[in-house]
Amino acid sequence: MSEFLAELIGTMILIIFGGGVVGGVVLKKTKAEGAGWIVIAIGWGLAVTMGVYAVGSISGAHLNPAVTIGFASIGEFPWDKVPLYILAQLIGGFIGGVIVFFQYLPHWKETKDPGDQLAVFSTGPAIRSTLSNLISEMIGTFVLILGLLFIGANEFTEGLNPAIVGLLIVAIGLSLGATTGYAINPARDLGPRLAHAILPIIGKGSSDWGYAWIPIIGPILGGTYGALFYKAIFIGKFTIAFWIVSVVIVIIFIGALMNELKNRNLSKNKL
């Protein structure tokens, strides 16, 4: 199997299990309806575990453009392979979304809320606030890449690494995922979102393309910084890229804080 096909299949498996658990929880008249956030977090953790087990020995199981770009930014992955991996991940995410659609075929018409339908395919914020949402995705993916590098630096029993990575995803979901649904993966969000836009889902609404850039840019920024941070702080190799991305992230954090303070003051003035 080629690396391209491995990344495609691995990401498809990721979405089948991940989108599948969300469908079971949010769609109407399923046996898992209303099972809650913990079930979703565990389901996504197991989704990643299975994807990594499936193709880890072939492609390294990035399954995520933020991982691919992050590793490339510190020399752990060749840049010339990055476009091929990302394309495979996006296609895999799209196909996974289509398969989840067919899995829940009778349940779409029973689910009257278009937002719940979209949630099966892609993420959305609990409170819509552009810079704050961007920061949530950045922090989640920063922790993801840092965690992957921590795991890689330790020796585990052969075959255990995918399970440890899955537990990392569960931890991110439980601790950091409640603000934006923790895409932490552009392919996980964009591929299925494209499927939502194209598929004939009964009663569906907008695919929310106005928000779609956040789970793309946020994970790429956060993931790249996670890799650069690890190389700088834990390996002791500071680069120009580390300082540039650090400045960009500080600016985003300051902008988000100022925006929230401004909104708070506006609310007080209205009272």
Side-chain angles (χ1 to χ4, degrees):
M1 182 186 293
S2 68
E3 291 178 332
F4 180 88
L5 188 57
E7 283 295 300
L8 189 157
I9 291 175
T11 311
M12 179 188 73
I13 291 170
L14 168 69
I15 299 304
I16 289 172
F17 282 107
V21 72
V22 176
V25 171
V26 306
L27 295 180
K28 300 302 180 184
K29 297 187 178 179
T30 74
K31 292 182 179 294
E33 182 183 349
W37 187 254
I38 291 177
V39 170
I40 290 174
I42 293 173
W44 272 107
L46 293 172
V48 171
T49 297
M50 295 311 300
V52 175
Y53 270 126
V55 301
S57 62
I58 302 169
S59 67
H62 291 187
L63 317 182
N64 182 344
V67 173
T68 302
I69 294 171
F71 283 6
S73 70
I74 58 172
E76 294 292 325
F77 187 75
W79 278 107
D80 61 345
K81 288 186 178 182
V82 169
L84 192 70
Y85 266 53
I86 292 177
L87 179 61
Q89 293 154 2
L90 289 172
I91 294 172
F94 176 85
I95 294 173
V98 172
I99 292 172
V100 171
F101 164 72
F102 280 100
Q103 169 68 20
Y104 290 104
L105 205 55
H107 296 273
W108 302 109
K109 68 177 182 295
E110 302 293 339
T111 306
K112 306 305 180 183
D113 185 347
D116 287 343
Q117 293 180 343
L118 179 59
V120 178
F121 296 90
S122 55
T123 60
I127 298 175
R128 192 170 293 256
S129 178
T130 299
L131 289 180
S132 295
N133 300 153
L134 185 66
I135 285 174
S136 289
E137 288 296 330
M138 287 165 53
I139 292 174
T141 319
F142 172 84
V143 172
L144 169 65
I145 301 301
L146 208 57
L148 291 176
L149 291 167
F150 290 157
I151 292 167
N154 290 274
E155 292 185 7
F156 292 93
T157 303
E158 186 176 355
L160 190 59
N161 276 43
I164 303 300
V165 172
L167 288 174
L168 171 62
I169 299 300
V170 173
I172 291 172
L174 293 176
S175 300
L176 304 171
T179 51
T180 60
Y182 71 117
I184 59 174
N185 180 345
R188 169 266 176 274
D189 193 272
L190 180 57
R193 195 184 295 268
L194 286 168
H196 175 272
I198 293 171
L199 289 167
I201 302 169
I202 297 173
K204 76 174 180 181
S206 164
S207 298
D208 198 7
W209 291 108
Y211 178 80
W213 67 274
I214 290 176
I216 296 174
I217 301 301
I220 289 173
L221 271 175
T224 300
Y225 191 60
L228 293 169
F229 183 90
Y230 180 86
K231 186 175 182 179
I233 304 303
F234 289 87
I235 307 299
K237 295 182 179 179
F238 290 82
T239 62
I240 294 176
F242 168 77
W243 295 114
I244 291 173
V245 179
S246 294
V247 170
V248 171
I249 287 176
V250 168
I251 290 171
I252 292 172
F253 271 63
I254 291 173
L257 179 59
M258 292 178 65
N259 185 62
E260 290 303 314
L261 292 174
K262 178 182 177 182
N263 290 338
R264 187 181 69 177
N265 289 333
L266 287 174
S267 298
K268 285 183 177 180
N269 290 336
K270 287 180 180 179
L271 295 174

